[in-house]
Amino acid sequence: MIFAYNPKYVSDTLLVITENDNGLEQTVERKGNVARIQTEDGRVVGWNFFAISDVMTIEGTGQVTLSDEQVAQLNELMRDAGFTEELTPDHEPKFVVGFVKTCEPHEDSDHLSVTEIEVDNGATLQIVCGAPNIRKGLKVVVAKPGAMMPDGMMIWPGELRGVASYGMICSAKELQLPNAPMKRGILELGSDAVIGEAFQVGK
């Protein structure tokens, strides 16, 4: 679940993205200051909360983090508007330090690699990566499914050349880090980076 807030460009509206719409047509049902967004196959993929600053103070812009109390407030707004769904708090960090356990050439590409990345306590994600410097043994920054990149791109499970990929291994430029090198390639972290630890984007 992605919370996004940018009053300068999207007015005083909190956007909540709950699922990938897969490019399907969307319908919007608005009741008061709450709008539910559904795809043509009936899936709820997001919510808009208008005039949100009348209800709560949101810190930051872009992808933002809400407390359990704030999520409870959103659920109350939804109930008061007549919707029956509920949002569930999600405190799992979406940008984390990962360790490249395996790295093999993609069978249907001359530049892609299929990696197995440990992201926390032995949990792994298969990620297809096109960076020239990807290799076994690196510590890297992983954007997990449900992450919003600084440029607004959302990360969802997908496929590259027929191989499933569950996230993205990030470059310093993609993370909009200060003094990010212009050359192509993922960010290589030092040996002291802790696998599974949250990574602060833009820091």
Side-chain angles (χ1 to χ4, degrees):
M1 184 163 54
I2 296 171
F3 298 107
Y5 182 64
N6 196 328
K8 183 177 180 180
Y9 296 104
V10 195
S11 74
D12 185 23
T13 302
L14 176 67
L15 309 179
V16 183
I17 301 100
T18 57
E19 194 174 332
N20 188 359
D21 63 12
N22 293 316
L24 296 177
E25 291 289 329
Q26 297 179 354
T27 60
V28 179
E29 180 182 5
R30 180 169 177 171
K31 299 179 180 180
N33 280 338
V34 181
R36 180 177 62 193
I37 303 165
Q38 291 180 281
T39 54
E40 57 189 347
D41 59 1
R43 292 180 297 116
V44 177
V45 294
W47 299 84
N48 291 344
F49 295 87
F50 303 97
I52 193 63
S53 64
D54 293 345
V55 180
M56 65 180 70
T57 299
I58 298 176
E59 300 293 337
T61 58
Q63 185 170 11
V64 295
T65 302
L66 300 189
S67 66
D68 287 355
E69 291 75 16
Q70 288 174 312
V71 175
Q73 283 181 282
L74 296 181
N75 285 330
E76 185 175 347
L77 291 174
M78 292 160 64
R79 285 194 299 272
D80 290 346
F83 293 106
T84 58
E85 295 89 346
E86 283 197 353
L87 303 175
T88 302
D90 177 10
H91 300 298
E92 180 181 292
K94 300 305 180 186
F95 293 90
V96 299
V97 175
F99 176 73
V100 184
K101 294 180 66 177
T102 65
C103 181
E104 301 293 340
H106 192 298
E107 292 184 354
D108 190 32
S109 171
D110 60 1
H111 71 282
L112 294 176
S113 299
V114 181
T115 68
E116 184 182 35
I117 311 293
E118 182 180 349
V119 290
D120 190 21
N121 294 322
T124 60
L125 295 174
Q126 177 174 284
I127 299 177
V128 179
C129 178
N133 60 325
I134 185 68
R135 61 189 183 275
K136 180 179 178 180
L138 282 183
K139 287 185 177 178
V140 296
V141 178
V142 175
K144 299 164 68 175
M148 176 182 282
M149 300 299 293
D151 66 0
M153 181 179 73
M154 291 176 288
I155 305 300
W156 302 110
E159 285 189 0
L160 285 173
R161 296 283 185 91
V163 175
S165 186
Y166 299 94
M168 186 171 82
I169 305 170
C170 304
S171 70
K173 183 180 178 182
E174 289 165 334
L175 295 168
Q176 296 188 3
L177 300 183
N179 303 313
M182 297 305 293
K183 67 178 183 179
R184 189 164 169 264
I186 55 170
L187 176 63
E188 300 183 26
L189 301 177
S191 59
D192 57 342
V194 179
I195 299 170
E197 188 172 89
F199 186 88
Q200 298 301 314
V201 176
K203 302 295 184 181

